[in-house]
Amino acid sequence: PNLAEAHAVKAYILQMKGDTDAAAAEVGIALGLDPESYEANRTAGRLSYQMHRFEDAARRFEKAVSLMDSDVNSAMLLVSTCKAMNDIAGMRNAAEVASRRADAVLARDQNNSGVMAYSAVALGALGDGERAKARMARALLIDPDNFDMRYNFACALAAFLNDKSAALEMLEPLFAAITAPLLRYFKDDPDFDPLHA
């Protein structure tokens, strides 16, 4: 009961089940127990992002990035958060951090499809669409059924590369087995705003 990380994990599980009120309560407990917890800040950022409280999300993701120098995921979520706030300089800075961190992982493990996905999104945010799409193609050859990777590629295609049809095609396999909470999360993700029509 006194471990911030346990409450952060519980909050994430509740968020993925669609119970954002209970998730917010758990995040509050986690941050109250340890405001310097990486897990608590990361989870708080994800919840705030889903709820479109972007300033709070940015603050939490910045904190998570500062607490864990190998965290690529929070840096990528900071990219999307800054884009949603129209903070182009912040978006580029976060994308550069994410790209450096992803490159460091890929130097050791060139077939890490999850990190390739983050790298592709970062490259897209930095305006390097050709390299982003090449990275996507390589990752899809290695791990074509990785739904998290496809989700991130669709984010890059929709939000940064302005390729709506490719984004929808990337998402199509995910919709075959989508759950109601995940569909809600898709709808709430501002990276997919260009696809709402």
Coordinates of all heavy atoms in Angstrom, one line a residue, residues 7-56:
H7 N 0.9 1.5 -7.1 CA -0.3 2.3 -7.4 C -0.2 2.8 -8.9 O -1.3 2.9 -9.5 CB -0.4 3.5 -6.5 CG -0.8 3.1 -5.1 ND1 -2.1 2.8 -4.8 CD2 0.0 2.8 -4.0 CE1 -2.2 2.4 -3.5 NE2 -0.9 2.4 -3.0
A8 N 1.0 3.1 -9.4 CA 1.1 3.5 -10.8 C 0.7 2.4 -11.7 O 0.0 2.6 -12.7 CB 2.6 3.9 -11.1
V9 N 1.1 1.2 -11.4 CA 0.8 0.0 -12.3 C -0.8 -0.2 -12.2 O -1.4 -0.4 -13.2 CB 1.5 -1.3 -11.8 CG1 0.9 -2.5 -12.5 CG2 3.0 -1.1 -12.1
K10 N -1.3 -0.1 -11.0 CA -2.8 -0.3 -10.9 C -3.5 0.8 -11.7 O -4.5 0.6 -12.3 CB -3.2 -0.2 -9.4 CG -4.6 -0.5 -9.1 CD -4.9 -0.6 -7.6 CE -6.4 -1.0 -7.4 NZ -6.7 -1.0 -6.0
A11 N -3.0 2.0 -11.6 CA -3.6 3.1 -12.4 C -3.6 2.8 -13.9 O -4.6 3.1 -14.6 CB -2.9 4.5 -12.1
Y12 N -2.5 2.3 -14.4 CA -2.3 2.0 -15.8 C -3.3 0.9 -16.2 O -4.0 1.0 -17.2 CB -0.9 1.6 -16.1 CG -0.7 1.2 -17.6 CD1 -0.8 2.2 -18.6 CD2 -0.6 -0.1 -18.0 CE1 -0.6 1.9 -19.9 CE2 -0.4 -0.4 -19.3 CZ -0.5 0.6 -20.3 OH -0.3 0.3 -21.6
I13 N -3.5 -0.1 -15.4 CA -4.4 -1.2 -15.6 C -5.8 -0.6 -15.7 O -6.6 -0.9 -16.6 CB -4.3 -2.3 -14.6 CG1 -2.9 -3.0 -14.8 CG2 -5.4 -3.3 -14.7 CD1 -2.6 -3.9 -13.7
L14 N -6.2 0.2 -14.7 CA -7.5 0.8 -14.7 C -7.8 1.7 -15.9 O -8.8 1.7 -16.5 CB -7.7 1.6 -13.4 CG -7.8 0.8 -12.1 CD1 -7.6 1.7 -10.9 CD2 -9.2 0.1 -12.1
Q15 N -6.7 2.5 -16.3 CA -6.9 3.3 -17.5 C -7.1 2.5 -18.7 O -8.0 2.8 -19.5 CB -5.6 4.1 -17.7 CG -5.6 5.0 -18.9 CD -4.3 5.7 -19.2 OE1 -3.3 5.5 -18.4 NE2 -4.2 6.5 -20.2
M16 N -6.4 1.4 -18.9 CA -6.6 0.5 -20.0 C -7.9 -0.2 -20.0 O -8.5 -0.6 -21.1 CB -5.5 -0.5 -20.1 CG -4.1 0.1 -20.5 SD -4.1 0.9 -22.1 CE -4.2 2.6 -21.7
K17 N -8.5 -0.3 -18.8 CA -9.9 -0.9 -18.7 C -11.0 0.2 -19.0 O -12.1 -0.1 -19.0 CB -10.1 -1.5 -17.4 CG -9.3 -2.8 -17.2 CD -9.6 -3.5 -15.9 CE -9.0 -4.8 -15.8 NZ -9.3 -5.5 -14.5
G18 N -10.5 1.5 -19.1 CA -11.5 2.5 -19.3 C -12.0 3.3 -18.1 O -12.8 4.1 -18.2
D19 N -11.5 2.9 -16.9 CA -11.9 3.5 -15.7 C -11.0 4.7 -15.3 O -10.1 4.6 -14.4 CB -12.0 2.5 -14.6 CG -12.7 3.0 -13.3 OD1 -13.0 4.3 -13.2 OD2 -13.0 2.2 -12.5
T20 N -11.1 5.8 -16.0 CA -10.2 6.9 -15.8 C -10.3 7.6 -14.4 O -9.3 8.1 -13.9 CB -10.3 8.0 -16.9 OG1 -11.7 8.4 -17.0 CG2 -9.9 7.4 -18.3
D21 N -11.5 7.6 -13.9 CA -11.7 8.1 -12.5 C -10.9 7.4 -11.5 O -10.1 7.9 -10.7 CB -13.1 8.2 -12.1 CG -13.9 9.2 -12.9 OD1 -13.3 10.1 -13.5 OD2 -15.2 9.1 -13.0
A22 N -11.0 6.0 -11.5 CA -10.2 5.2 -10.6 C -8.7 5.3 -10.9 O -7.9 5.3 -9.9 CB -10.7 3.8 -10.6
A23 N -8.4 5.4 -12.1 CA -7.0 5.5 -12.5 C -6.4 6.8 -12.0 O -5.3 6.9 -11.4 CB -6.8 5.5 -14.0
A24 N -7.2 7.9 -12.1 CA -6.7 9.2 -11.5 C -6.5 9.1 -10.0 O -5.6 9.7 -9.5 CB -7.7 10.3 -11.9
A25 N -7.4 8.4 -9.3 CA -7.2 8.3 -7.9 C -6.0 7.6 -7.6 O -5.2 8.0 -6.6 CB -8.4 7.6 -7.3
E26 N -5.6 6.5 -8.3 CA -4.4 5.7 -8.1 C -3.2 6.6 -8.4 O -2.2 6.5 -7.7 CB -4.4 4.4 -8.9 CG -5.4 3.4 -8.3 CD -5.1 2.9 -6.9 OE1 -3.9 2.8 -6.5 OE2 -6.1 2.7 -6.2
V27 N -3.3 7.3 -9.5 CA -2.1 8.2 -9.8 C -1.9 9.2 -8.7 O -0.7 9.5 -8.3 CB -2.4 8.9 -11.2 CG1 -1.5 10.2 -11.4 CG2 -2.2 8.0 -12.3
G28 N -3.0 9.8 -8.2 CA -2.8 10.7 -7.1 C -2.1 10.1 -5.9 O -1.3 10.7 -5.2
I29 N -2.5 8.9 -5.5 CA -1.8 8.2 -4.4 C -0.4 7.9 -4.8 O 0.5 8.2 -3.9 CB -2.6 6.8 -4.2 CG1 -4.0 7.1 -3.6 CG2 -1.7 6.0 -3.2 CD1 -4.8 5.8 -3.6
A30 N -0.1 7.5 -6.0 CA 1.3 7.2 -6.4 C 2.2 8.5 -6.3 O 3.3 8.4 -5.7 CB 1.3 6.6 -7.8
L31 N 1.7 9.6 -6.8 CA 2.5 10.8 -6.8 C 2.6 11.3 -5.3 O 3.6 11.9 -5.0 CB 1.8 11.8 -7.7 CG 2.0 11.6 -9.2 CD1 1.1 12.5 -10.0 CD2 3.5 11.6 -9.6
G32 N 1.5 11.1 -4.5 CA 1.6 11.5 -3.1 C 2.7 10.7 -2.4 O 3.3 11.3 -1.5
L33 N 2.8 9.5 -2.7 CA 3.8 8.6 -2.0 C 5.2 9.0 -2.5 O 6.1 8.9 -1.7 CB 3.5 7.1 -2.3 CG 2.3 6.6 -1.6 CD1 1.9 5.2 -2.1 CD2 2.5 6.5 -0.1
D34 N 5.4 9.3 -3.8 CA 6.7 9.5 -4.3 C 6.6 10.4 -5.6 O 6.5 9.9 -6.7 CB 7.5 8.2 -4.6 CG 8.9 8.5 -5.0 OD1 9.3 9.7 -5.1 OD2 9.6 7.5 -5.3
P35 N 6.7 11.7 -5.4 CA 6.6 12.6 -6.6 C 7.8 12.5 -7.6 O 7.7 12.9 -8.7 CB 6.5 14.0 -6.0 CG 6.9 13.9 -4.6 CD 6.7 12.5 -4.2
E36 N 8.8 11.8 -7.1 CA 10.0 11.6 -8.0 C 10.0 10.2 -8.6 O 11.0 9.8 -9.2 CB 11.3 11.7 -7.1 CG 11.5 13.1 -6.6 CD 11.6 14.2 -7.7 OE1 12.4 14.0 -8.6 OE2 10.9 15.2 -7.6
S37 N 8.9 9.4 -8.5 CA 8.8 8.1 -9.0 C 8.7 8.2 -10.6 O 7.8 8.8 -11.1 CB 7.6 7.3 -8.5 OG 7.3 6.2 -9.3
Y38 N 9.6 7.5 -11.3 CA 9.5 7.4 -12.7 C 8.1 6.8 -13.1 O 7.5 7.4 -14.0 CB 10.6 6.6 -13.3 CG 10.4 6.1 -14.6 CD1 10.5 6.9 -15.7 CD2 10.1 4.7 -14.9 CE1 10.3 6.5 -17.0 CE2 9.8 4.3 -16.2 CZ 9.9 5.1 -17.2 OH 9.7 4.7 -18.5
E39 N 7.8 5.7 -12.6 CA 6.5 5.0 -12.9 C 5.3 5.9 -12.7 O 4.4 5.9 -13.5 CB 6.4 3.7 -12.2 CG 7.4 2.6 -12.7 CD 8.7 2.7 -12.0 OE1 9.0 3.6 -11.2 OE2 9.6 1.8 -12.4
A40 N 5.3 6.6 -11.6 CA 4.1 7.4 -11.2 C 4.0 8.6 -12.2 O 2.9 8.9 -12.7 CB 4.3 8.0 -9.8
N41 N 5.1 9.2 -12.5 CA 5.1 10.3 -13.5 C 4.7 9.9 -14.9 O 3.9 10.5 -15.6 CB 6.4 11.1 -13.5 CG 6.5 12.0 -12.3 OD1 6.0 13.1 -12.3 ND2 7.2 11.6 -11.3
R42 N 5.3 8.8 -15.3 CA 5.0 8.2 -16.6 C 3.5 7.9 -16.7 O 2.8 8.3 -17.7 CB 5.8 7.0 -16.9 CG 5.6 6.4 -18.3 CD 6.6 5.3 -18.5 NE 6.4 4.7 -19.8 CZ 5.7 3.5 -20.0 NH1 5.3 2.9 -19.0 NH2 5.6 3.1 -21.2
T43 N 2.9 7.2 -15.7 CA 1.5 6.8 -15.7 C 0.6 8.1 -15.7 O -0.4 8.2 -16.4 CB 1.2 5.9 -14.6 OG1 2.1 4.7 -14.7 CG2 -0.2 5.4 -14.6
A44 N 1.0 9.0 -14.8 CA 0.3 10.3 -14.8 C 0.2 11.0 -16.1 O -0.8 11.6 -16.5 CB 0.8 11.2 -13.7
G45 N 1.4 11.0 -16.8 CA 1.5 11.6 -18.1 C 0.5 10.9 -19.1 O -0.2 11.6 -19.9
R46 N 0.5 9.6 -19.1 CA -0.3 8.9 -20.1 C -1.8 9.2 -19.8 O -2.6 9.3 -20.7 CB 0.0 7.4 -20.0 CG 1.3 7.0 -20.5 CD 1.5 5.5 -20.3 NE 0.6 4.7 -21.1 CZ 0.9 4.2 -22.3 NH1 2.1 4.4 -22.8 NH2 0.0 3.5 -23.0
L47 N -2.2 9.2 -18.5 CA -3.6 9.5 -18.2 C -4.0 10.9 -18.6 O -5.0 11.1 -19.2 CB -3.8 9.3 -16.7 CG -5.3 9.4 -16.2 CD1 -6.2 8.4 -16.9 CD2 -5.3 9.2 -14.7
S48 N -3.1 11.9 -18.3 CA -3.4 13.3 -18.6 C -3.4 13.4 -20.2 O -4.3 14.2 -20.7 CB -2.3 14.2 -18.1 OG -2.4 14.3 -16.7
Y49 N -2.6 12.7 -20.9 CA -2.6 12.8 -22.3 C -3.9 12.3 -22.9 O -4.6 12.9 -23.7 CB -1.5 11.9 -22.9 CG -1.3 11.9 -24.4 CD1 -0.8 12.9 -25.1 CD2 -1.8 10.8 -25.1 CE1 -0.7 12.9 -26.5 CE2 -1.7 10.7 -26.5 CZ -1.1 11.8 -27.2 OH -1.0 11.7 -28.5
Q50 N -4.4 11.1 -22.4 CA -5.7 10.6 -22.8 C -6.8 11.5 -22.5 O -7.8 11.6 -23.3 CB -6.0 9.2 -22.2 CG -7.3 8.6 -22.7 CD -7.6 7.3 -22.0 OE1 -6.9 6.8 -21.2 NE2 -8.7 6.7 -22.4
M51 N -6.7 12.2 -21.4 CA -7.8 13.1 -21.0 C -7.6 14.6 -21.6 O -8.4 15.5 -21.2 CB -7.9 13.2 -19.5 CG -8.2 11.8 -18.8 SD -8.0 11.8 -17.1 CE -9.6 12.6 -16.7
H52 N -6.7 14.7 -22.5 CA -6.4 16.0 -23.1 C -6.0 17.1 -22.2 O -6.2 18.3 -22.5 CB -7.5 16.4 -24.0 CG -7.7 15.5 -25.2 ND1 -8.4 15.9 -26.3 CD2 -7.2 14.3 -25.5 CE1 -8.4 14.9 -27.2 NE2 -7.7 13.9 -26.7
R53 N -5.4 16.8 -21.1 CA -4.8 17.7 -20.2 C -3.3 17.8 -20.5 O -2.4 17.3 -19.8 CB -5.0 17.3 -18.7 CG -6.5 17.3 -18.3 CD -6.8 17.2 -16.9 NE -5.8 16.4 -16.1 CZ -6.1 15.3 -15.5 NH1 -7.3 14.8 -15.4 NH2 -5.1 14.6 -14.8
F54 N -3.0 18.5 -21.6 CA -1.7 18.4 -22.3 C -0.6 19.1 -21.5 O 0.5 18.6 -21.5 CB -1.8 18.9 -23.7 CG -2.7 18.1 -24.6 CD1 -3.8 18.6 -25.2 CD2 -2.5 16.7 -24.7 CE1 -4.6 17.9 -26.0 CE2 -3.3 15.9 -25.5 CZ -4.4 16.5 -26.2
E55 N -0.9 20.2 -20.8 CA 0.1 20.9 -20.0 C 0.6 20.0 -18.9 O 1.8 19.8 -18.7 CB -0.4 22.2 -19.5 CG -0.5 23.2 -20.6 CD -1.0 24.6 -20.1 OE1 -0.9 24.8 -18.9 OE2 -1.3 25.4 -21.0
D56 N -0.3 19.3 -18.2 CA 0.0 18.4 -17.2 C 0.8 17.2 -17.7 O 1.8 16.7 -17.2 CB -1.2 17.9 -16.4 CG -0.8 17.0 -15.2 OD1 0.0 17.5 -14.3 OD2 -1.3 15.9 -15.2

